[in-house]
């Protein structure tokens, strides 16, 4: 297996690793396609691989007794899928799947565990990322409890926008209703509200971000805290601070 060139990677966690830490995981990174709907982690099953996305967006969902998903976190090129392995836990009650197609790398769990055991700095970096995920999950709970649907939708669109190239999001109303845990008519109404004020353009299975600044104003306090914590705790050699810095650093001038 050919080790990827660290400097050419888009996944910010992999790029943030010290060279000696990347040498522990690089030889075991396998390129993988991540099509829409691909399940990466099944609930309560041993986690065989940890995934580092280079493009696309993954959802982490909790499933109720009727197997209806409620999204609790999203992951893109800024993170990894399978964080419980870093905590020494081999499975999770949650499901992870790709909601927007992309690609990336995976590493077999035993290889990552050995690397974590060999390097405190590697372990510490990934623990800081997991802390950010807990902040994101808490922000989602607060948004679901305190924000009106248009604010929640604005926050979710911003979070997806942070993790994709360009301004096009491949999203259906039905999928949005599942991820936001609301009925589809409510999502449609919220989309029409954001579209009517010129923040987005919606068409079948796609939403285009037109005015990110106004989306941020609409989302208000529900968006920004996890993003700021990520910027504070995860090194980025190419970007220092600034709004929207989770996007591909090579897109930001």
């Amino acid at each position: 297996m050919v080790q990827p060139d660290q400097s050419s990677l888009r996944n910010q966690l992999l790029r943030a690793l010290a060279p000696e830490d990347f040498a522990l995981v690089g030889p075991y990174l396998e390129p993988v396609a991540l099509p829409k709907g691909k399940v990466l982690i099944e609930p309560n099953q041993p986690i065989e691989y940890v995934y580092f996305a280079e493009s696309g967006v993954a959802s982490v969902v909790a499933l109720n007794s009727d197997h209806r998903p409620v999204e609790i976190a999203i992951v893109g090129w800024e993170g990894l899928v399978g964080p419980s392995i870093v905590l020494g836990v081999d499975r999770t009650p949650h499901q992870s799947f790709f909601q927007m197609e992309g690609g990336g790398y995976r590493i077999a769990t035993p290889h990552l565990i050995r690397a974590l055991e060999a390097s405190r700095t590697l372990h510490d970096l990934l623990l800081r990322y997991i802390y950010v995920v807990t902040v994101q999950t808490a922000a989602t709970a607060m948004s679901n409890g305190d924000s009106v649907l248009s604010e929640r939708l604005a926050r979710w669109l911003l979070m997806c926008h942070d993790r994709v190239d360009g301004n096009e999001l491949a999203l259906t109303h039905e999928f949005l209703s599942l991820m936001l845990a609301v009925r589809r008519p409510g999502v449609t109404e919220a989309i029409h509200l954001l579209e009517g004020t010129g923040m987005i353009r919606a068409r079948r299975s796609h939403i285009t971000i037109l005015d990110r600044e106004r989306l941020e104003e609409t989302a208000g306090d529900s968006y920004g805290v996890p993003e700021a914590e990520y910027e504070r705790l995860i090194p980025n050699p190419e970007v220092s601070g600034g709004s929207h810095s989770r996007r591909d650093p090579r897109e930001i001038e």
Side-chain angles (χ1 to χ4, degrees), residues 200-218:
I200 64 173
R201 180 173 63 246
R203 63 183 190 278
R204 185 175 177 84
S205 302
H206 283 82
I207 291 177
T208 304
I209 306 299
L210 300 178
D211 191 335
R212 183 182 169 93
E213 183 176 350
R214 290 184 66 191
L215 269 182
E216 291 181 0
E217 292 173 357
T218 299

Side-chain angles (χ1 to χ4, degrees), residues 3-45:
Q3 176 174 314
D5 176 13
Q6 185 181 13
S7 65
S8 69
L9 295 175
R10 300 181 70 187
N11 184 277
Q12 190 166 339
L13 278 183
L14 293 177
R15 288 173 61 83
L17 295 180
E20 57 270 24
D21 288 338
F22 185 76
L24 295 173
V25 299
Y28 305 106
L29 292 172
E30 306 173 32
V32 59
L34 299 169
K36 180 179 179 180
K38 179 178 176 62
V39 176
L40 308 182
I41 295 175
E42 290 282 14
N44 304 311
Q45 297 297 316

Side-chain angles (χ1 to χ4, degrees), residues 30-109:
E30 306 173 32
V32 59
L34 299 169
K36 180 179 179 180
K38 179 178 176 62
V39 176
L40 308 182
I41 295 175
E42 290 282 14
N44 304 311
Q45 297 297 316
I47 298 173
E48 298 181 357
Y49 295 95
V50 171
Y51 293 81
F52 295 87
E54 293 273 282
S55 60
V57 180
S59 285
V60 183
V61 298
L63 301 173
N64 64 18
S65 58
D66 296 327
H67 295 280
R68 179 180 174 85
V70 176
E71 189 174 67
I72 56 176
I74 69 173
V75 183
W77 62 267
E78 87 294 344
L80 62 84
V81 178
S84 62
I85 294 301
V86 182
L87 299 174
V89 181
D90 73 339
R91 64 196 69 196
T92 172
H94 304 136
Q95 184 188 69
S96 297
F97 68 94
F98 247 67
Q99 58 164 276
M100 296 184 197
E101 68 176 349
Y105 292 90
R106 69 181 188 182
I107 182 171
T109 295

Side-chain angles (χ1 to χ4, degrees), residues 185-202:
V187 169
T188 300
E189 182 179 349
I191 288 174
H192 287 165
L193 177 62
L194 299 185
E195 188 172 31
T197 52
M199 300 180 215
I200 64 173
R201 180 173 63 246

